[in-house]
Amino acid sequence: MTTFKVLAIHTAKITELTFGKKTFPSALLKQPIEKGMFLSYTGLAEDEQTPEHHGGTEKALCLYPYDHYSFWDGWMEMRDGAALFGENITTEGLHEQNTHIGDRFEFGEAIIEVTEPRQPCFKIAARYHKPELIVRMRESGYTGFYFRVLKEGTVKPGDVLTCVERDPARVSVHEVNQLLFSSAPRASQYDRVLEAKALSKTLRPKLIQKRNQL
């Protein structure tokens, strides 16, 4: 079984961020935990989420690859010790191209399953005062991705992600990003992505609707 290093597990309380003249609630300012924490079907015990874009059973946990940090370094302010994009787990070696929708991982006492890519929203741009960040994230495909929790349990610093099952459809997170960010998606792209049975229950109906409108 392949294991991947988890560099940090992050949580945050909801705070107010400002972007231009707009102020809004966000839990992007995450910091690493220092002790074990329960991971439930809706996320880490001490992590707050704004439900309009994040959270719920289909987006219980967000991962961002440390492999991409160097891409952003020098272009925007990097904060030592903080989650770059408000991710819950920062990992090494696991990324959008080698991870599939439906892949399952053992994480501490928990079992988690990949559900969909993270779709960049204006709050990330607001955090760094970089309006162009969303476009840059889409063009690079360096989005990170979400998990649902199949088995609850305690996770702690030093735990690793161990891949216990690869989804048979082998639809990579990268493939889903290509579909989501395409200016003229093809029916074959929708059909391919929809082969992933574990695709989130929130994203699947949206893709089916768009496929039917072609």
Side-chain angles (χ1 to χ4, degrees), residues 189-208:
Q189 285 180 281
Y190 283 104
D191 294 340
R192 167 63 180 154
V193 167
L194 290 169
E195 288 179 22
K197 304 299 183 185
L199 194 66
S200 79
K201 296 174 183 177
T202 50
L203 181 58
R204 174 177 287 278
K206 295 178 182 177
L207 295 184
I208 291 175

Side-chain angles (χ1 to χ4, degrees), residues 77-150:
E77 179 187 358
M78 308 282 280
R79 305 178 185 185
D80 291 342
L84 184 63
F85 292 121
E87 70 269 17
N88 297 116
I89 50 177
T90 309
T91 58
E92 199 168 61
L94 191 64
H95 50 77
E96 296 83 1
Q97 294 199 359
N98 68 2
T99 307
H100 313 92
I101 304 300
D103 284 356
R104 295 182 177 184
F105 297 84
E106 186 177 70
F107 183 29
E109 297 176 349
I111 302 291
I112 59 178
E113 181 179 69
V114 180
T115 57
E116 66 170 273
R118 180 180 188 169
Q119 297 183 48
C121 68
F122 76 95
K123 292 184 179 182
I124 297 178
R127 176 184 177 182
Y128 291 103
H129 302 285
K130 290 278 191 178
E132 66 272 34
L133 191 151
I134 296 173
V135 172
R136 189 175 174 90
M137 185 173 278
R138 287 175 175 173
E139 290 179 346
S140 67
Y142 296 164
T143 60
F145 43 92
Y146 288 108
F147 296 88
R148 63 170 62 92
V149 176
L150 300 180

Side-chain angles (χ1 to χ4, degrees), residues 8-45:
I9 304 170
H10 298 95
T11 62
K13 300 297 183 182
I14 293 175
T15 57
E16 295 291 320
L17 292 183
T18 301
F19 189 38
K21 296 181 179 179
K22 186 175 182 179
T23 299
F24 52 87
S26 174
L28 275 173
L29 305 181
K30 299 189 190 298
Q31 295 292 325
I33 66 172
E34 298 179 353
K35 59 183 180 179
M37 187 174 295
F38 189 69
L39 176 60
S40 75
Y41 293 122
T42 54
L44 290 161

Side-chain angles (χ1 to χ4, degrees), residues 39-96:
L39 176 60
S40 75
Y41 293 122
T42 54
L44 290 161
E46 296 181 15
D47 189 51
E48 295 184 348
Q49 300 164 330
T50 50
E52 73 273 18
H53 294 296
H54 310 288
T57 58
E58 301 301 279
K59 301 178 182 179
L61 203 65
C62 181
L63 177 152
Y64 197 80
Y66 183 75
D67 310 62
H68 301 334
Y69 271 45
S70 60
F71 175 80
W72 302 101
D73 192 13
W75 184 76
M76 66 186 199
E77 179 187 358
M78 308 282 280
R79 305 178 185 185
D80 291 342
L84 184 63
F85 292 121
E87 70 269 17
N88 297 116
I89 50 177
T90 309
T91 58
E92 199 168 61
L94 191 64
H95 50 77
E96 296 83 1

